[in-house]
Amino acid sequence: MRRDNAMIEVTIDGALFEGWTGAEVELDMKEFSARFSLYCHDQEASAAALAHVHSAKNKRLQRRAAVSIKVDGVTVLNGRIEKRSSNIEAAFADITVEGRCKLGDLVDCTALVDDTPAEMHNVKLEDAVARIIKPYGIGVRTEIDTGAPFPRYSIDLDESPFTAIEKGARQRQARVLSDGIGNVVITRSGGTRAADAITLPGNVLKASIDESDEQSYSKTIVRGTSERAGKKRGKASLDTTAEPLLPADRAAGDGSATRTERAGTAVTGIAEDEEIGRYRPKVYLARTKADHDSARAEAEWRRNTARGAAAEVTYIRRGHSVEGKLWRPNTIVPVSDAFNDINRDMLISKVTFIQNNDDGQITSLGVISPESFEKGEPKKKQRKNKVAKQKKALDTTAERL
């Protein structure tokens, strides 16, 4: 679908593709890789099968073709077609293709292959990420201070590059996101503000909310092991002159040695959520060597993330940008929603750019509590607070889809 005022532009294998009738581009903080779907008339395939089609403008769509998508002139995704499905009838044929940005390979593949190190020592998070993703030709951008180096950063035999990266990010309470165009971004939530406010009634065409406590817990516990056990164990010298004891002469210990060893090597981090209101504990194992501080930080990160997943509101707005500024995930947006009783700053966690013949150009915005991805103890969750000063008057021009 090509128009003079088209907001979405698709290039396939370096050539502008005009055969699509609908497009969706999804940027989601919880999915890591950006996704796209194109609903098309494959003109070359149709010309080969349908008698009334006499010419073909676009070449036949194939899996693995390179795709680049612009929204309002800004490139938001570089990737490849991964799935292709088709339907043909007597006088009609259509094709649907789907794919992801370059970072999709980091989710699917295995990290520990070829020259990827199985273990790194005294390495900062961003350096570990760069070494893990190097074979894929993907870059890394760091927007925050990632803290102290990891004494030891190991990669399991069967884990993906994404899980190898994400487990380290959890311990540093960082987010690893895709920028859609071929880079891993290490960041935290809500560093910038969104293109505009969301108001209902006002500039919202549709709104829906999903709430669930299935993944929420009253107590989140992270347990792991530490290599820093020397101070707990104390010093002991080895007596090389002693002779082995016979089994009959061996005396049972009092358990102190075991307790000392456990105190030196076992670490535990706990984060509680009083809002759950009942006993619902959950234990996770730290995937890297941890100390008590990093285990507690990971427990808090998991609790806060679960809070964000418990309630997400989706708003549909006309257009893809406001005054030339695209909607983006990981931005703070003022929300004034009378129906859902929300009047506060929220975090945009998911943006889907949509364009088709029925709806025109619209954007779906998924928003959650901004405390969901913050470090440490979250502020007391509330639906109402003072919205930022940039809040505008209600726009009563929005029309129903």
Side-chain angles (χ1 to χ4, degrees), residues 325-340:
K325 185 178 180 182
L326 287 178
W327 292 102
R328 291 287 191 178
N330 199 31
T331 54
I332 295 295
V333 60
V335 177
S336 177
D337 181 347
F339 183 81
N340 291 303

Side-chain angles (χ1 to χ4, degrees), residues 28-228:
D28 190 341
M29 291 178 64
K30 300 185 290 295
E31 292 297 330
F32 191 53
S33 58
R35 298 174 176 269
F36 70 89
S37 298
L38 299 175
Y39 309 98
C40 314
H41 292 317
D42 190 325
Q43 293 159 328
E44 182 175 322
S46 297
L50 299 176
H52 68 278
V53 179
H54 301 294
S55 62
K57 291 184 178 179
N58 297 307
K59 66 179 183 179
R60 190 184 297 263
L61 294 174
Q62 301 285 2
R63 286 177 293 120
R64 295 182 287 276
V67 175
S68 181
I69 300 178
K70 291 183 178 180
V71 177
D72 286 10
V74 178
T75 302
V76 297
L77 188 146
N78 289 325
R80 292 188 178 274
I81 295 175
E82 297 178 320
K83 296 173 63 177
R84 178 184 183 275
S85 58
S86 63
N87 175 56
I88 184 168
E89 301 175 13
F92 176 81
D94 64 5
I95 304 286
T96 299
V97 295
E98 301 174 64
R100 293 173 294 174
C101 71
K102 295 178 179 180
L103 273 63
D105 290 337
L106 302 184
V107 177
D108 300 339
C109 300
T110 303
L112 201 55
V113 180
D114 301 327
D115 296 328
T116 305
E119 194 169 278
M120 294 169 275
H121 297 271
N122 297 316
V123 61
K124 287 181 70 68
L125 176 62
E126 57 266 35
D127 297 324
V129 172
R131 293 175 69 177
I132 292 169
I133 66 178
K134 182 179 178 180
Y136 296 87
I138 294 170
V140 58
R141 186 172 76 249
T142 307
E143 298 180 343
I144 59 172
D145 180 1
T146 57
F150 290 90
R152 181 159 74 104
Y153 199 113
S154 59
I155 302 175
D156 297 336
L157 288 173
D158 61 344
E159 69 181 339
S160 69
F162 169 66
T163 57
I165 292 168
E166 195 262 347
K167 68 184 181 184
R170 283 202 308 266
Q171 288 199 7
R172 295 298 181 262
Q173 291 188 315
R175 301 293 302 182
V176 283
L177 310 174
S178 168
D179 66 359
I181 58 176
N183 297 290
V184 175
V185 181
I186 302 174
T187 187
R188 291 197 176 95
S189 65
T192 58
R193 300 197 70 83
D196 194 13
I198 293 174
T199 55
L200 176 65
N203 55 26
V204 171
L205 301 171
K206 281 185 181 180
S208 60
I209 186 168
D210 291 312
E211 297 179 297
S212 172
D213 276 338
E214 292 179 349
Q215 301 300 318
S216 298
Y217 304 98
S218 62
K219 181 180 290 187
T220 302
I221 304 166
V222 173
R223 290 181 176 147
T225 57
S226 172
E227 295 177 332
R228 299 177 179 178

Side-chain angles (χ1 to χ4, degrees), residues 18-33:
E18 298 181 334
W20 58 275
T21 60
E24 296 183 10
V25 185
E26 180 182 288
L27 311 174
D28 190 341
M29 291 178 64
K30 300 185 290 295
E31 292 297 330
F32 191 53
S33 58

